[in-house]
Amino acid sequence: MEGHERNENRIGDMLQFVAPGTPLRDGIDNVLRAKTGGLIVIGYGKEVQQLVDGGFHIQSEFTPAHLYELAKMDGALILNDEGTEILYANAQLMPDPDIISTETGMRHRTAERVAKQTGHLVIAISQRRNVITLYKGPVRYSLQDIGVILTKANQAIQTLEKYKLVHDQSITNLGAMEFENMVSFSEVIQVIHRIEMVLRIKREILNYVNELGTEGRLIQLQLTELVSNIEEEASLLLKDYSKKPDYEPYYILRKMQEESGTELLADEQVLKLLGYASGTKLSDMIYPRGYRIMHRIPRLPSLIIEHLVERFGTLNDVVQASVKELVEVDGVGEVRAKKICDGLERIQEQLFVDRHL
Ligand SMILES: Nc1ncnc2c1ncn2[C@@H]1O[C@H](COP(=O)(O)OP(=O)(O)OP(=O)(O)O)[C@@H](O)[C@H]1O
């Protein structure tokens, strides 16, 4: 897995763990308000044990009130992996002083070093600055004010709506061109870039949703409504256009997301992921297998679509096939063959109406 993708997953996990609405977050918020400061390590594996000196073995059930009371003591609190028990209080942590830390205060330096050395989640609650900072492995993340995140999340939803409109239109145009046998690599790559943009903003919003916890339900609903099936649609597109029919579309999709950093992928990278040689010309024509369009035919099972692709190879050949030829395919009787013909005709008509709207 690429570095930035792994870090994003780490941030997502951390944020979920301390999201508003969880008992841990209630406890942390109490400590923040009381301005006592706090240092909390999640998990007490061997790696952590080696760094702990002194402290009281408490082993009490985790409640926000216990956390708040115990945080009044100096030193660190150590919780179990699930954050459901407080194991130690007033513990002195002694991470390797050679581990580089960019923090200045001792609490935050210790938190950063312990996280880097053990890979565990460490939470520093600042006494003076009203900030909660999370550390896990090399990742550092400062929690932001809920109001600020909500504003950002709402802005991101608006951006997503715009991206989604552009994406939908480009998918419609591509569909119309597929029926006309007019698709070149260039159109396919353009649609893939649009998918990339939608997926990227979706990931960003998911991070906000994780961070918002119970406060993010509305954003989550909007997100689901807008892009719940984007991955499935993308996977069908990749199945339509990958060089070899047996390419695993979700694998390509994951690779695509791993490889795209702050910039969109280069066209050659997309071609490579689809399995095409680097010299492939963007103006060359390419013919879809028809997975995406055939999935839009009502009540046509995926297995039958597989059989149709095996038998005919491209969407165009399915469109050209007579009822007699369709019936030769495993699982297709006369009634279903007619439904396929009618279905394709209707989809084509609809696409021609909707294109360039
Ligand atoms: N190695 C350590 N193990 C356990 N607790 C520590 C350790 N180092 C610092 N602390 C805790 O952090 C407290 C504050 O330290 P310091 O003021 O240097 O931190 P800081 O990073 O500036 O944090 P703040 O923003 O809260 O002031 C200490 O009183 C102690 O409770």
Side-chain angles (χ1 to χ4, degrees):
M1 204 188 278
E2 288 274 306
H4 77 266
E5 166 106 344
R6 195 167 42 222
N7 287 349
E8 263 190 32
N9 289 345
R10 276 205 183 111
I11 294 176
D13 292 346
M14 294 197 295
L15 294 178
Q16 261 176 333
F17 205 78
V18 299
T22 58
L24 183 56
R25 181 58 173 269
D26 287 348
I28 292 173
D29 282 342
N30 283 343
V31 176
L32 191 71
R33 273 193 295 272
K35 296 196 187 305
T36 52
L39 179 58
I40 305 168
V41 181
I42 308 296
Y44 190 55
K46 251 200 213 120
E47 331 72 57
V48 176
Q49 285 171 30
Q50 291 166 359
L51 314 184
V52 177
D53 189 31
F56 302 115
H57 188 206
I58 303 234
Q59 190 106 35
S60 89
E61 181 203 349
F62 178 92
T63 66
H66 284 166
L67 184 87
Y68 165 69
E69 292 298 340
L70 291 167
K72 287 178 187 167
M73 284 191 254
D74 249 9
L77 293 173
I78 302 177
L79 272 51
N80 66 349
D81 284 320
E82 297 75 30
T84 52
E85 279 178 37
I86 302 176
L87 304 178
Y88 283 87
N90 187 229
Q92 182 70 23
L93 299 173
M94 295 192 299
D96 181 352
D98 290 337
I99 295 175
I100 293 171
S101 169
T102 49
E103 302 288 356
T104 49
M106 275 322 290
R107 193 196 314 274
H108 293 79
R109 280 175 97 81
T110 307
E112 188 176 15
R113 287 186 173 134
V114 172
K116 281 184 175 167
Q117 191 168 344
T118 64
H120 284 245
L121 170 61
V122 185
I123 304 163
I125 308 161
S126 169
Q127 187 174 7
R128 289 166 298 148
R129 286 175 296 137
N130 205 31
V131 213
I132 303 164
T133 314
L134 311 176
Y135 303 86
K136 190 169 190 180
V139 177
R140 173 190 190 280
Y141 191 90
S142 285
L143 290 185
Q144 306 168 64
D145 182 72
I146 298 281
V148 173
I149 311 166
L150 265 176
T151 310
K152 285 189 185 169
N154 278 314
Q155 280 167 353
I157 287 277
Q158 282 175 18
T159 311
L160 180 64
E161 279 169 354
K162 283 188 206 134
Y163 281 10
K164 183 68 181 13
L165 272 180
V166 176
H167 161 271
D168 289 351
Q169 191 60 57
S170 69
I171 282 273
T172 303
N173 292 347
L174 180 77
M177 290 171 88
E178 285 177 344
F179 276 100
E180 296 168 327
N181 273 331
M182 293 281 286
V183 181
S184 69
F185 280 97
S186 163
E187 279 84 32
V188 176
I189 287 178
Q190 202 188 21
V191 172
I192 290 181
H193 285 322
R194 305 246 187 265
I195 292 172
E196 247 186 283
M197 285 159 77
V198 172
L199 286 177
R200 183 177 300 178
I201 191 105
K202 178 183 173 181
R203 277 209 305 269
E204 188 186 323
I205 296 172
L206 272 177
N207 267 346
Y208 292 136
V209 168
N210 285 336
E211 188 161 354
L212 287 166
T214 45
E215 306 282 330
R217 283 203 199 108
L218 209 61
I219 303 278
Q220 168 88 66
L221 282 176
Q222 284 173 283
L223 185 66
T224 310
E225 195 188 322
L226 275 169
V227 290
S228 62
N229 62 353
I230 178 95
E231 276 95 354
E232 194 196 342
E233 188 162 41
S235 83
L236 294 174
L237 181 93
L238 296 171
K239 264 168 90 105
D240 267 351
Y241 288 107
S242 61
K243 180 150 173 50
K244 297 211 178 108
D246 57 351
Y247 271 29
E248 180 30 67
Y250 283 99
Y251 173 76
I252 306 181
L253 203 59
R254 220 181 46 238
K255 287 295 263 179
M256 242 169 67
Q257 295 185 65
E258 282 170 18
E259 287 182 20
S260 83
T262 46
E263 304 274 312
L264 285 180
L265 288 178
D267 293 349
E268 300 79 58
Q269 270 174 296
V270 178
L271 284 173
K272 196 168 157 221
L273 283 171
L274 289 171
Y276 295 96
S278 55
T280 308
K281 279 209 241 100
L282 292 185
S283 54
D284 284 354
M285 302 310 268
I286 177 169
Y287 304 96
R289 297 192 173 89
Y291 285 106
R292 204 171 50 80
I293 295 291
M294 283 196 273
H295 263 91
R296 293 170 64 173
I297 301 175
R299 288 179 300 283
L300 185 61
S302 300
L303 188 66
I304 306 285
I305 297 178
E306 284 296 344
H307 291 161
L308 286 162
V309 173
E310 260 167 46
R311 164 75 173 77
F312 294 101
T314 67
L315 173 68
N316 187 248
D317 287 311
V318 181
V319 173
Q320 300 293 331
S322 62
V323 168
K324 197 166 150 255
E325 284 167 318
L326 288 172
V327 168
E328 284 165 17
V329 173
D330 216 8
V332 181
E334 201 154 314
V335 176
R336 186 166 267 165
K338 282 192 183 129
K339 278 199 178 139
I340 294 171
C341 293
D342 290 350
L344 287 171
E345 208 170 303
R346 223 164 293 144
I347 294 166
Q348 180 176 8
E349 276 167 17
Q350 191 63 48
L351 286 169
F352 284 1
V353 171
D354 291 344
R355 79 185 332 183
H356 307 312
L357 273 185

